[in-house]
Amino acid sequence: MEAYQNKVEHYSELFNKINKRYNSISLLRLLSAFLCLFMLFYYIKTNEILYVGLAFLSFVSFIFLMRVHSKLSFQKQLTAALLQINKNEIAFLKREKLPFENGIEFNDFYHPYAYDLDIFGEHSLFQNLNRTATYIGKKTLANQLLIQLPNEAILENQEAINELKTKIKWRQDFLALATISNDSKHSYESILFWNSFKNNSLPKVLVLLSFTMPFLFFGVLAAYYITSKTILLSYLTYIFIANLIIVGRSLKRIQSEIAKADNVDKIIKQYSLLVQKIESETFQSKKLIDLQQHLILKNATASVHLKQLSDLFSRMDTISNLVAATLFNGTFLFNLHVLKALLKWKKNYSEELEKWVNIIGEFEALSSLANLAYNNPDFVFPEINSEYKIGFSNLGHPLLNPATRVGNDTHFYPESFVILTGSNMSGKSTFLRSLGVNMVLGGIGSVVCASKANIHPLPVLVSMRLSDSLADSESYFFAEIKRLKQIMDALEEKPAFVLLDEILRGTNSDDKRNGTIEVVKKIITKNAIGAIATHDIEVCLKTNEYPDILTNQCFEVEIQNNELHFDYKLRNGICKNKSATFLMQKMGVI
């Protein structure tokens, strides 16, 4: 936290300096414009050539100050973003607020674990991890949290995240650039829509006219200045009108090319700055180097190509200004030439554009995971094995307050499946979620909330918290049966890490017990690894039939000074203490 506080002090001071200079330049810019007009007024009044020179100097000063003002405006935005980034991290670490998007739009109730493990939504894993500012970054991080990578990809991610963890200044600069881009889903989809919209090339006659008509216009104009023949002005007018007609006939094609492309030029310009930030950094890890190398095409970098595209879209905007469009198109068919350049750009680079944007998303997602590692130096990268061994030392849930979080040691070898017992509120569900969330993190190359970890990455299948699907007219019980069927079908394909919490709650106790036993028996025959929480002692007795596969573990509760005491420590064996009767008596229920 101290590093963030130091950065807040630094960027606060820097912002104040830039803001003072920005205000000074704004005043000088205004004065130079006023002085230019003042000098022109005196020239008209006195006809002194000196005032023309002074007006010209004032105008040049105005242009220069405009450029300085624009640069200062960008620096001011960037510094403000960096200041807010560090303030957000301090507020996050103090547990005052979660100032990050929660990704609720990516939630999928039918996903094997997204809803059960609180991957998205308020106070979710995504919201705690999310340090993205572009839509593609947010989407990439969300997609990462919903898949399990191959072992080789996990190790590459670990190396990349470990490198980015140390590059805090680069990560924050990158995030600040993404923040001021004001990117959105609409902007992202507009770019992809334009990129996927395959227009045919322009007719050869139109291409020929685009060169000959401007050449003819300026040729006639030059001839008029040389000869001063007024008839040439008539010809010039006809050519001007003909050029407007040519552009008018092409207007529908031009508009179709830039449809849904509002402000795309600004977004693409910011993308080019983000890509340039990646291109200019030196990386050591294989994945980051590979991503960086994909940004070089045809002896130029992706940032250069993206800047060209941004400029083309910006130029095309002149069509919305009637005066400028009439003047530029009447003289040299301006928008037609821009259209040709856009089509040429698309032909050369359309296959690469989405890849370049995706690389931005990859870096944002990896930076988010690197930020988790940086903020939690006690978290570790798990060792990866291919022997179906899973074990954690001091395992905890990464979203719990580290000051009160209780860690537990657990392993799934030689026995591979745990039957977990314990009274309500003793920590069973939190423990299951800790297992699930850390398996998800470990399966994408992130650090995990443990002091030591060794995992065989597996698909995670969970049935913990289902809701009645009123839209589908489903009861809780039927929804749960469908989830169990989903788990069984997945296990038919390959082994997985399975977490079940008090299944079959929608039926009577005998049916629930027998059903739970049969579920456990079937999933262990499918070589599943994982745990099931239950209150039924008879389910626990199945460890006698499968001693090499099943093991009993529990969370106990104690009564101390007439109060329930939970230590949230995992123990071997079956839970012995009961809390329900004591709690009901204490609260006067019975």
Side-chain angles (χ1 to χ4, degrees), residues 5 40 72 85 109 151 235 276 291 396 407 433 545 556 560:
Q5 290 171 337
L40 287 173
L72 285 173
I85 286 167
F109 293 96
N151 287 11
Y235 295 155
Q276 187 178 40
L291 290 172
R433 286 196 174 91
E545 297 181 27
E556 291 287 11
Q560 298 178 358

Side-chain angles (χ1 to χ4, degrees), residues 126 130 132-142 183 357 360-362 364-365:
F126 180 92
N130 183 24
T132 68
T134 67
Y135 177 75
I136 186 59
K138 186 166 63 168
K139 182 182 177 183
T140 304
L141 178 61
D183 188 29
V357 176
I360 294 172
E362 285 276 357
E364 281 198 280

Side-chain angles (χ1 to χ4, degrees), residues 478-495:
F478 188 62
E480 188 176 29
I481 295 298
K482 285 178 67 176
R483 172 52 61 87
L484 290 173
K485 177 67 165 61
Q486 180 185 11
I487 291 173
M488 295 304 178
D489 289 345
L491 288 172
E492 290 289 340
E493 297 179 12
K494 56 183 175 181

Side-chain angles (χ1 to χ4, degrees), residues 165-398:
K165 179 179 71 172
T166 63
K167 292 180 177 288
I168 181 170
K169 185 180 186 309
W170 186 90
R171 285 191 289 108
Q172 290 196 346
D173 288 346
F174 190 75
L175 178 54
L177 278 173
T179 300
I180 64 175
S181 71
N182 295 317
D183 188 29
S184 65
K185 182 180 180 181
H186 172 73
S187 301
Y188 169 76
E189 290 179 343
S190 295
I191 292 168
L192 293 191
F193 174 82
W194 174 81
N195 197 47
S196 64
F197 191 63
K198 303 300 182 186
N199 267 336
N200 295 325
S201 58
L202 294 175
K204 291 182 179 179
V205 174
L206 197 59
V207 174
L208 182 63
L209 288 173
S210 71
F211 289 107
T212 57
M213 293 302 287
F215 179 79
L216 187 62
F217 179 89
F218 286 105
V220 173
L221 182 63
Y224 168 73
Y225 277 113
I226 294 170
T227 65
S228 298
K229 292 182 178 181
T230 54
I231 188 70
L232 294 175
L233 289 177
S234 298
Y235 295 155
L236 207 60
T237 303
Y238 295 145
I239 297 169
F240 187 89
I241 293 170
N243 284 344
L244 291 179
I245 292 171
I246 292 170
V247 173
R249 296 290 296 270
S250 306
L251 188 61
K252 191 173 181 180
R253 179 68 184 277
I254 292 169
Q255 289 176 331
S256 70
E257 189 65 27
I258 61 174
K260 299 183 180 181
D262 298 337
N263 293 321
V264 161
D265 59 319
K266 296 175 184 175
I267 300 298
I268 293 176
K269 184 177 180 181
Q270 288 302 121
Y271 282 172
S272 74
L273 292 175
L274 288 167
V275 168
Q276 187 178 40
K277 191 74 179 172
I278 297 169
E279 293 165 349
S280 61
E281 184 65 14
T282 301
F283 297 110
Q284 304 298 325
S285 59
K286 181 181 182 302
K287 177 159 189 173
L288 300 183
I289 292 172
D290 287 346
L291 290 172
Q292 194 178 47
Q293 288 176 343
H294 279 96
L295 297 174
I296 300 173
L297 183 70
K298 297 183 179 180
N299 298 320
T301 58
S303 61
V304 171
H305 298 309
L306 289 171
K307 179 66 167 55
Q308 291 171 348
L309 181 60
S310 172
D311 290 341
L312 289 172
F313 272 111
S314 183
R315 290 173 199 164
M316 191 63 90
D317 278 348
T318 58
I319 203 168
S320 61
N321 185 314
L322 184 60
V323 176
T326 302
L327 180 61
F328 291 166
N329 288 311
T331 53
F332 54 91
L333 301 170
F334 179 79
N335 283 104
L336 190 58
H337 283 284
V338 176
L339 176 62
K340 285 196 307 176
L342 273 173
L343 293 176
K344 182 179 179 181
W345 195 100
K346 187 187 287 188
K347 180 181 178 181
N348 290 335
Y349 308 115
S350 64
E351 293 183 4
E352 304 299 322
L353 178 58
E354 191 170 354
K355 295 178 186 176
W356 294 336
V357 176
N358 287 339
I359 287 172
I360 294 172
E362 285 276 357
F363 268 88
E364 281 198 280
L366 291 169
S367 292
S368 294
L369 296 175
N371 196 74
L372 173 71
Y374 180 83
N375 284 346
N376 298 276
D378 53 329
F379 288 12
V380 298
F381 289 102
E383 296 178 26
I384 305 300
N385 69 76
S386 302
E387 302 167 358
Y388 296 97
K389 292 182 178 181
I390 297 173
F392 297 93
S393 297
N394 199 30
L395 174 75
H397 198 295

